[in-house]
Amino acid sequence: MKARPAPPSASLAGPPSLIRGIHFPEPLLRFADDGLHIDPKAGIARYGPRSWTASGRHPTRLRVGLIGTPELIEAARVWMNSRAEGVMGDENNPEFPGWMPDRGFFSSLEFDDVWDEELGQAELRQVLEIKSQQERFHAAVALFETKLRHLAERDSTPDYVVVALSDEIVARCGTADYTTKEIGAVHRDLRRALKASAMKFRLPTQIVRAPTLDGRDRTPPSRIAWNFFTAMYCKAGGYPWSPHGLAPGTCYVGIGFYRPLGTAHATIQTSLVQAFDERGEGLVLRGHEFEWDPNKTGSRSPHLTAEGAHRLMALVLDQYESVMKQTPARVVVHKTSRYWPDERDGFRSAIEARVRRYDLMALEAQSRVRLITTSKYPPLRGTRFSFGELDYLYTTGYISALREFHGMHVPAPLQVADHIGQDSSRDVLLKEVLALTKLNWNSAALGGLLPITIKFSGLVGEIMREIPPDRNPLPQFKFYI
């Protein structure tokens, strides 16, 4: 690959510019019966989840499978049944309304011994007493995969499986670091490996640790319940809420990269694409492998060739048309590094052959530039400011409509590092970014720093490492969260 210098980074040097600012209202979310609210928790408590009345995908009952020791299986049943009745809140955490037919998520939980797989003491000892960290990890993954296979082969199968991990399993098998001649130094994580294994059997899973079940986890109980059951609803096939106001017929694409397991593959990058429609539903696609050597290219951030970018975008549009039964009216691409000329040209040629309107954006998380307020509160979430050609957007910060700050640190804005296409105004694109930060169905949080198009790149890439090249990953997000 021909070496080339990376594009110059934005600089604040030069004469001072007038700072221009505007505040975007907090985006609304849509719930059951088209109810609107800005807050996922308040919207579900008031109206119910979106799928309950909207899509025909609402799970009226959920068959729950359990994997763990007999004690942890019983503890998980008791914990889930008790939390499903509702959990009291406190001054900082709203009440969880429950997972019941008449409130909350308007569904019921079903348990049956036939959907459980117990981990016996003898088979656990065989794993835990292995001295080699590598072999012990592999044995643990194989044991859980056997249990998942047993559940998948039953005449009656669960819709969803909770894997309850003991302290000893987490301590002895939670991670593994080892080196092999074939692929070099390797880091493995049990959660990621279990997600990849469960995908073989099309079983959505939730991993829960013993401290959550026995109360040692000091996270407020209602917050745990909100996050656990919201993710469970998504894994059961429903969607808790959908965005309000995104342009219909738009395909939102997030592009990221991940390295295969092992340092011996340092020059190989695999592209990862996530496509979302205006309802917030997404697809995971694995692109092609390509070589990337930072020493030859002059950039640590990987970039696609024109041919590679064209192939990747064609794959996205093919999948979108297959699922949605139509060609998108508009494409918006998000990535975290700037578009190199060949990369830009490849995306453009693939999109323009099939779609009339598009915008390519690069969004960079940075901490060099911040606003300083004159009050004791941080800047408002939704604040967009610019000077010169530089644009920034606060996707975290103080939420005036709720009079709350949802964060642990001093917020910093995203920088629009690149924008190609110009088929939509910058205001429209940044409002969409703000709305897309609210589509993380893995929790009930109001928003986050990154839009969902980019946020899941890291999460999905971690699990993709565990899926061998000869096995196609499933496209639904419920298998990755």
Side-chain angles (χ1 to χ4, degrees):
M1 179 178 292
K2 184 179 179 181
R4 73 187 82 177
S9 60
S11 172
L12 302 184
S17 301
L18 178 66
I19 296 178
R20 303 179 302 277
I22 189 174
H23 178 253
F24 300 135
E26 186 64 37
L28 290 166
L29 299 173
R30 193 180 296 274
F31 300 90
D33 290 322
D34 290 327
L36 298 175
H37 204 285
I38 65 171
D39 184 8
K41 298 183 181 73
I44 290 174
R46 179 176 299 181
Y47 303 108
R50 175 64 176 157
S51 294
W52 183 36
T53 60
S55 70
R57 288 174 36 180
H58 174 70
T60 57
R61 63 188 181 96
L62 183 64
R63 298 177 299 188
V64 180
L66 295 161
I67 297 176
T69 64
E71 295 80 8
L72 283 176
I73 285 177
E74 179 59 25
R77 281 194 187 190
V78 170
W79 186 87
M80 291 181 69
N81 276 323
S82 66
R83 296 323 188 256
E85 294 179 0
V87 181
M88 292 294 294
D90 55 38
E91 60 180 6
N92 296 317
N93 297 278
E95 175 185 2
F96 173 64
W99 181 287
M100 301 297 287
D102 62 345
R103 64 183 184 276
F105 283 89
F106 293 92
S107 184
S108 61
L109 300 178
E110 292 187 5
F111 298 93
D112 194 301
D113 292 344
V114 75
W115 302 325
D116 297 344
E117 275 290 319
E118 293 184 354
L119 298 174
Q121 292 301 311
E123 55 190 353
L124 280 174
R125 274 200 309 273
Q126 289 177 355
V127 171
L128 295 172
E129 291 178 358
I130 297 174
K131 292 184 178 180
S132 165
Q133 188 183 56
Q134 177 183 355
E135 294 176 5
R136 188 170 63 246
F137 183 89
H138 289 166
V141 173
L143 175 60
F144 282 106
E145 184 167 316
T146 298
K147 302 300 182 180
L148 289 163
R149 179 181 292 107
H150 289 168
L151 290 178
E153 291 175 349
R154 300 273 166 82
D155 290 335
S156 174
T157 60
D159 302 313
Y160 159 88
V161 178
V162 174
V163 181
L165 300 182
S166 67
D167 293 337
E168 195 170 18
I169 282 286
V170 172
R172 297 277 290 160
C173 308
T175 59
D177 294 280
Y178 54 87
T179 301
T180 71
K181 292 182 180 180
E182 294 79 14
I183 60 175
V186 179
H187 174 76
R188 303 288 299 280
D189 178 276
L190 184 60
R191 176 193 173 276
R192 302 169 192 169
L194 292 182
K195 292 287 182 183
S197 292
M199 212 177 295
K200 294 179 183 179
F201 312 110
R202 305 188 70 88
L203 288 172
T205 56
Q206 177 67 47
I207 295 171
V208 62
R209 297 185 177 184
T212 300
L213 303 177
D214 62 25
R216 282 178 289 152
D217 188 336
R218 306 318 300 169
T219 305
S222 66
R223 186 187 305 172
I224 293 176
W226 269 114
N227 292 339
F228 183 94
F229 285 92
T230 299
M232 186 170 75
Y233 189 80
C234 175
K235 295 173 187 183
Y239 49 103
W241 57 84
S242 62
H244 173 70
L246 291 183
T250 298
C251 177
Y252 299 93
V253 182
I255 296 178
F257 306 95
Y258 71 94
R259 297 181 186 275
L261 287 171
T263 55
H265 296 298
T267 60
I268 303 296
Q269 296 281 147
T270 302
S271 51
L272 176 70
V273 180
Q274 301 156 100
F276 295 80
D277 66 13
E278 69 272 11
R279 294 172 298 182
E281 296 188 86
L283 297 169
V284 176
L285 306 173
R286 180 169 61 186
H288 57 280
E289 292 186 342
F290 64 98
E291 294 186 4
W292 187 262
D293 188 337
N295 295 323
K296 294 180 180 179
T297 59
S299 172
R300 295 184 62 184
S301 299
H303 294 266
L304 296 165
T305 63
E307 179 186 0
H310 189 284
R311 287 173 55 198
L312 197 59
M313 187 53 59
L315 175 68
V316 173
L317 295 176
D318 287 345
Q319 186 71 12
Y320 185 95
E321 290 172 356
S322 174
V323 173
M324 303 298 293
K325 310 303 180 186
Q326 63 181 9
T327 301
R330 172 173 171 257
V331 172
V332 176
V333 180
H334 292 157
K335 63 195 293 280
T336 57
S337 59
R338 298 183 176 193
Y339 297 84
W340 279 11
D342 286 351
E343 197 172 34
R344 175 199 62 206
D345 293 344
F347 284 132
R348 272 179 164 172
S349 63
I351 296 172
E352 290 177 353
R354 299 160 73 171
V355 180
R356 292 183 58 187
R357 300 179 60 218
Y358 67 92
D359 289 270
L360 313 179
M361 295 187 72
L363 301 169
E364 178 187 351
Q366 57 82 50
S367 58
R368 303 181 303 275
V369 178
R370 287 187 172 99
L371 293 179
I372 299 176
T373 67
T374 57
S375 70
K376 63 179 181 180
Y377 300 107
L380 297 174
R381 172 178 147 90
T383 299
R384 175 247 177 125
F385 66 97
S386 59
F387 49 93
E389 296 300 317
L390 297 177
D391 259 312
Y392 296 86
L393 175 68
Y394 270 96
T395 53
T396 58
Y398 187 75
I399 302 168
S400 57
L402 299 177
R403 299 182 181 180
E404 296 174 354
F405 170 53
H406 293 194
M408 301 293 292
H409 308 287
V410 178
L414 293 178
Q415 178 185 305
V416 179
D418 211 349
H419 178 202
I420 299 164
Q422 312 297 331
D423 277 335
S424 303
S425 72
R426 190 67 63 86
D427 277 5
V428 166
L429 291 166
L430 292 179
K431 287 178 182 178
E432 291 177 334
V433 168
L434 196 63
L436 290 168
T437 65
K438 305 183 74 162
L439 295 186
N440 179 11
W441 293 335
N442 199 28
S443 77
L446 183 139
L449 175 65
L450 296 170
I452 197 65
T453 43
I454 295 174
K455 181 178 177 61
F456 274 170
S457 293
L459 174 65
V460 174
E462 291 168 354
I463 297 169
M464 282 282 192
R465 288 189 181 98
E466 297 284 346
I467 303 174
D470 60 352
R471 178 155 63 90
N472 289 328
L474 295 179
Q476 297 88 356
F477 272 98
K478 64 183 180 180
F479 296 108
Y480 297 86
I481 62 176

